[in-house]
Amino acid sequence: MLKISNLHKEYPGGDLALRGVNLELKKGEITAVIGPSGAGKSTLIRCVNRLVEATEGEIILQDQDINKLNKKELKNKRRKMGMIFQEYALVERLTVMENVLSGRLGYVSFWRAWLRKFPQKDINQAYQLLERLGLQEHINKRSDHLSGGQRQRVGIARALIQDPDLLLVDEPTASLDPKTARQIMRLITEMAKERNLAALINIHDVLLAREYVSRIIGMRNGEIVFDGSPLELNKDT
Ligand code: ADP
Ligand code: ADP
């Protein structure tokens, strides 16, 4: 469902962040990207949703080359990609429920509905997700009144309510304590599995990656240097 071929990224200034990355992801394949700081992990994930423009190469997501989409096509495509970030990227002044609904409705429709009324079926769906994530008691709290772990769970709900084909996850646990990090990694991988999603999870914690994913990609200097199961990684290191 995702096929990346010969992907290069050179940042203005000459940093070569990606030097010919090839990667295929099947439906239901939950993959962690590991590697030292500066290896190109974030750049890879950001090229897929085009927060960063690749210099060369193809990113085919369900038969369409991401790099060739116009603005409107890209917007539609991004609605099929759930994104989860290290710093949550929630709207602080909005409630938990409102943040999740913003993932469902998109920016313009969200504010239009916010002024009047949200569709009941979207509210029901958001409620179900929030309940599954253990946030039912926090639904009407402002998101800036939550702990880090709770905020990230709101981030997960906001990504999943889009009903995405692909989950892009950039350092989801980097701002969290070890116990919360483990809980978040477990929730992301469990819920991706339940929905048969492909997921690309950029994570620097190798132990967490090993524990929760079936496939690990190792990056160094903008290249993939390992691609295998957690067991194979144990043999190599
Ligand atoms: P990782 O996520 O593995 O830490 P990154 O993708 O963030 O790696 O970075 C890869 C390389 O690209 C590094 O050398 C980094 O300095 C460089 N880089 C990342 N973002 C930018 C940017 N916005 N401008 C210039 N260089 C960048
Ligand atoms: P979690 O269950 O996500 O691990 P914590 O144990 O960190 O949550 O937090 C416990 C309680 O403290 C939560 O109910 C949360 O609402 C509250 N809390 C944590 N951090 C903050 C904060 N920065 N502002 C307001 N309340 C907070």
Side-chain angles (χ1 to χ4, degrees), residues 104 120-130 161 163:
R104 174 85 212 177
Q120 190 59 41
K121 84 174 185 340
D122 294 335
I123 293 177
N124 293 347
Q125 204 178 350
Y127 187 85
Q128 268 181 19
L129 272 169
L130 288 166
I161 202 169
D163 195 18

Side-chain angles (χ1 to χ4, degrees), residues 41-221:
K41 306 182 296 294
S42 283
T43 301
L44 175 62
I45 281 193
R46 281 156 203 237
C47 281
V48 176
N49 60 24
R50 254 173 80 184
L51 285 176
V52 165
E53 295 279 347
T55 313
E56 192 190 327
E58 279 188 337
I59 302 169
I60 310 288
L61 180 59
Q62 290 178 323
D63 303 323
Q64 275 185 307
D65 188 344
I66 300 284
N67 293 331
K68 296 208 172 107
L69 302 179
N70 66 31
K71 229 174 148 181
K72 180 149 176 271
E73 292 167 331
L74 179 62
K75 211 174 127 201
N76 287 333
K77 204 68 170 173
R78 277 186 177 154
R79 299 208 46 75
K80 301 310 280 175
M81 300 186 213
M83 302 176 208
I84 300 172
F85 303 93
Q86 172 179 350
E87 294 298 342
Y88 326 121
L90 304 179
V91 182
E92 307 247 303
R93 290 163 171 279
L94 295 182
T95 65
V96 166
M97 176 56 89
E98 288 164 344
N99 267 287
V100 176
L101 288 170
S102 76
R104 174 85 212 177
L105 297 168
Y107 193 75
V108 175
S109 317
F110 170 79
W111 286 109
R112 204 176 283 146
W114 188 79
L115 289 167
R116 294 185 288 169
K117 197 169 179 302
F118 289 109
Q120 190 59 41
K121 84 174 185 340
D122 294 335
I123 293 177
N124 293 347
Q125 204 178 350
Y127 187 85
Q128 268 181 19
L129 272 169
L130 288 166
E131 198 173 32
R132 168 74 175 77
L133 287 157
L135 288 169
Q136 63 275 19
E137 280 157 33
H138 304 291
I139 279 173
N140 295 314
K141 280 192 192 168
R142 269 173 57 151
S143 64
D144 55 356
H145 290 176
L146 301 177
S147 69
Q150 292 168 335
R151 286 183 208 203
Q152 193 55 291
R153 282 183 270 152
V154 179
I156 296 170
R158 184 188 51 190
L160 291 177
I161 202 169
Q162 280 179 240
D163 195 18
D165 299 319
L166 173 69
L167 262 190
L168 297 171
V169 189
D170 199 3
E171 291 286 6
T173 63
S175 307
L176 304 173
D177 65 82
K179 184 167 153 265
T180 310
R182 165 169 302 241
Q183 179 201 42
I184 290 297
M185 192 62 180
R186 183 174 55 74
L187 283 168
I188 291 173
T189 50
E190 264 181 19
M191 293 178 83
K193 242 174 251 162
E194 285 164 17
R195 291 164 173 74
N196 199 29
L197 301 183
L200 210 49
I201 307 173
N202 166 8
I203 185 159
H204 70 269
D205 187 331
V206 181
L207 290 176
L208 266 189
R210 271 181 182 161
E211 191 171 345
Y212 288 106
V213 305
S214 51
R215 180 179 176 193
I216 293 182
I217 305 279
M219 287 189 74
R220 190 170 297 156
N221 289 326

